[in-house]
């Protein structure tokens, strides 16, 4: 069965939650015997790859402009999927889902994964939010099968569109942790094992990293400590927010790593004092699941997507409340370093791949 995937910027080693999701999922589906083709946005990849871990890769041009990029690329990707003779087109995210009716007009079977209501993101203006809401509607009403990554999204679809049939709750997953040390990298960053708080995400407004910096500085004023704040990540589109955030971080002595993967990221996760995700919007954050898989003490905002992970009450703080967040960070910094055994069974990528394979096999007939 031929599966053509669109809606992601690309794999491998492309920043973003959808991209990480696809990077983990589709090689596993290829190993299960599916002919998987991921259509990538050419401006995000420069590796020259035509195949990776059993997944075929097709690169298509798209304008690198956040207002038009996804929709233009998706239109071209759907046409390419039709030319390739896809048995199933698998679209990711509500922006690309705007063109689900077009794919159906071409006679294609469509699976749509809803990764979260992106119209809640602070970066979008009125027109973009309107189009994203329309994309959600088109995907939820016209896709043959809808996958949601959290129960919050499943309930949203039921409430807004009355759809309960062919809607599948399949969580985001996390790989087995790769616990390692990287002393050379730590010396380069100027940090020590167990003596830093880690934030890990894209530098966009809804991640609220500015709140994390503000809260951390409050704690530093109260405590005599050599614990530092490390922010791993970057932005796709440099804008006023990302420039101000980086400037704020540098003035405050925050360590900026840029976008990292592999051993660098694994070593940061394995050796941090704690992890913080202060977002105002998430689908089901893979970054949080990764931190949990390493047994890290986490502090996260009390938005529905984070609450669904069902952490202890003290691990949450009211979104946007810098003073409470500062208190939570202080408690983590004062507490002895510990390893926490979270229950990660429902976030197993192998189980997730089996669930998606079942949807393909049922829907492709």
């Amino acid at each position: 069965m031929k599966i053509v995937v669109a809606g992601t910027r690309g794999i491998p080693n492309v920043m973003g939650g959808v991209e990480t999701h696809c990077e983990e999922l589709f090689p596993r589906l290829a190993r299960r015997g599916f002919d998987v083709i991921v259509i990538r946005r050419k401006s995000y990849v420069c590796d020259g790859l035509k195949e990776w871990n059993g997944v075929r890769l097709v690169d298509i041009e798209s304008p690198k402009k956040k207002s038009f990029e996804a929709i233009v690329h998706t239109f071209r990707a759907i046409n390419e999927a039709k030319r390739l003779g896809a048995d199933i087109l698998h679209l990711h995210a509500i922006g690309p889902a705007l063109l689900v009716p077009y794919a159906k007009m071409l006679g294609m079977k469509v699976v749509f994964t809803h990764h979260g209501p992106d119209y809640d993101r602070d970066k979008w203006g009125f027109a973009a939010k309107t189009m994203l809401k329309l994309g959600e509607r088109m995907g939820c009403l016209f896709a043959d099968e809808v996958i949601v990554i959290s129960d919050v999204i499943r309930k949203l679809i039921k409430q807004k569109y009355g759809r309960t049939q062919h809607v599948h709750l399949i969580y985001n997953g996390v790989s087995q942790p790769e616990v390692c040390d990287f002393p050379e990298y730590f010396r380069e960053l100027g940090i020590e094992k167990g003596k830093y708080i880690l934030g890990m995400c894209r530098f966009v407004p809804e991640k609220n990293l500015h709140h994390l910096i503000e809260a951390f500085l409050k704690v530093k004023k109260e405590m005599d400590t050599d614990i530092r704040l490390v922010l791993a990540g970057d932005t796709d589109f440099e804008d006023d927010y990302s420039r101000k955030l980086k400037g704020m971080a540098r003035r405050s002595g925050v360590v900026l790593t840029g976008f990292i993967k592999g051993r660098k990221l694994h070593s940061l996760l394995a050796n941090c004092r704690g992890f913080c995700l202060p977002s105002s919007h998430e689908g089901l954050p893979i970054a949080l699941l990764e931190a949990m898989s390493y047994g890290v003490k986490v502090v996260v905002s009390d938005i529905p997507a984070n609450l669904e992970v069902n952490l202890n009450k003290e691990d949450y703080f009211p979104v946007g409340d810098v003073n409470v967040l500062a208190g939570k960070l202080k408690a983590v910094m004062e507490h002895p370093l510990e390893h926490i055994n979270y229950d990660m069974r429902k976030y197993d990528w192998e189980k997730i791949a089996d669930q998606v394979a079942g949807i393909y096999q049922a829907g492709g007939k």
Side-chain angles (χ1 to χ4, degrees):
M1 184 181 291
K2 184 178 290 184
I3 312 298
V4 176
V5 181
T8 175
R9 296 176 181 90
I11 61 171
N13 299 323
V14 178
M15 180 171 57
V18 174
E19 288 65 38
T20 300
H21 176 103
C22 292
E23 184 174 324
E24 293 287 351
L25 175 61
F26 289 107
R28 289 175 166 86
L29 288 166
R31 290 196 290 271
R32 283 160 172 77
F34 294 95
D35 180 8
V36 181
I37 303 169
V38 171
I39 300 184
R40 310 191 296 178
R41 301 179 198 176
K42 199 168 186 178
S43 56
Y44 287 90
V45 292
C46 55
D47 49 31
L49 293 173
K50 299 297 181 184
E51 184 272 342
W52 178 77
N53 280 3
V55 176
R56 290 196 279 160
L57 306 172
V58 174
D59 297 344
I60 293 180
E61 296 280 1
S62 62
K64 196 168 183 182
K65 184 173 175 60
K66 66 181 180 181
S67 302
F68 304 106
E69 174 186 299
I71 197 68
V72 171
H73 186 266
T74 303
F75 176 75
R76 293 173 176 172
I78 290 172
N79 291 333
E80 181 67 9
K82 181 66 175 177
R83 188 190 70 79
L84 290 168
D87 295 299
I88 290 176
L89 171 69
H90 192 158
L91 287 176
H92 288 264
I94 62 174
L98 183 65
L99 293 179
V100 168
Y102 175 61
K104 295 300 297 175
M105 285 172 56
L106 295 180
M108 305 180 75
K109 296 265 189 179
V110 180
V111 174
F112 159 53
T113 296
H114 192 320
H115 288 269
D118 290 344
Y119 43 78
D120 287 340
R121 296 186 187 276
D122 298 334
K123 67 179 179 179
W124 299 118
F126 175 78
K129 287 176 184 285
T130 301
M131 295 307 291
L132 287 167
K133 289 176 181 178
L134 182 59
E136 179 184 75
R137 175 175 289 274
M138 294 300 99
C140 292
L141 292 180
F142 295 107
D144 296 280
E145 310 287 338
V146 178
I147 297 172
V148 296
I149 62 168
S150 72
D151 195 48
V152 172
I153 302 172
R154 183 186 64 80
K155 290 175 180 175
L156 179 148
I157 289 175
K158 180 180 179 181
Q159 178 185 351
K160 290 179 72 172
Y161 310 110
R163 179 160 183 172
T164 57
Q165 297 296 311
H166 299 279
V167 176
H168 313 272
L169 173 58
I170 304 178
Y171 293 105
N172 268 332
V174 65
S175 298
Q176 288 295 314
E178 297 183 33
V179 178
C180 63
D181 291 335
F182 199 160
E184 301 88 349
Y185 183 54
F186 277 37
R187 284 196 293 271
E188 177 188 328
L189 295 179
I191 60 175
E192 298 178 50
K193 290 171 60 173
K195 291 188 176 181
Y196 60 92
I197 301 292
L198 178 64
M200 179 175 65
C201 58
R202 284 185 294 149
F203 291 3
V204 290
E206 66 271 10
K207 300 297 185 180
N208 286 340
L209 289 177
H210 55 292
H211 289 164
L212 175 54
I213 295 174
E214 290 170 16
F216 185 79
L217 291 178
K218 282 180 177 287
V219 179
K220 289 283 282 187
K221 285 181 181 178
E222 296 179 21
M223 293 178 63
D224 180 20
T225 178
D226 56 357
I227 293 176
R228 303 191 68 184
L229 176 60
V230 176
L231 299 183
D234 208 331
T235 183
D236 297 318
F237 299 93
E238 199 73 71
D239 57 15
D240 286 344
Y241 177 79
S242 62
R243 283 188 288 269
K244 288 178 182 177
L245 180 71
K246 291 176 183 178
M248 179 185 186
R250 293 186 184 106
R251 290 190 301 273
S252 305
V254 174
V255 178
L256 298 174
T257 71
F259 173 60
I260 54 172
K261 297 275 281 188
R263 189 181 170 201
K264 289 182 176 180
L265 180 59
H266 300 152
S267 64
L268 284 175
L269 283 165
N271 296 290
C272 66
R273 186 87 177 187
F275 171 85
C276 182
L277 187 67
S279 308
S280 59
H281 169 85
E282 294 287 350
L284 182 65
I286 290 178
L288 171 58
L289 299 182
E290 287 179 327
M292 292 167 61
S293 75
Y294 280 81
V296 171
K297 178 67 175 177
V298 299
V299 175
V300 297
S301 54
D302 62 350
I303 58 175
N306 290 339
L307 290 171
E308 189 163 336
V309 179
N310 199 29
L311 298 165
N312 291 328
K313 187 176 180 180
E314 70 268 14
D315 296 333
Y316 294 103
F317 72 95
V319 62
D321 194 324
V322 173
N323 290 325
V324 175
L325 174 55
K328 299 285 185 181
L329 293 178
K330 185 178 180 182
V332 172
M333 292 160 71
E334 290 178 331
H335 195 274
L337 197 60
E338 62 177 326
H339 184 279
I340 301 170
N341 291 314
Y342 299 99
D343 184 358
M344 305 299 294
R345 286 174 295 181
K346 63 184 177 182
Y347 309 116
D348 182 338
W349 275 119
E350 296 299 332
K351 187 183 297 182
I352 290 164
D354 287 338
Q355 291 173 294
V356 176
I359 293 170
Y360 288 166
Q361 288 159 347
K365 295 177 182 177

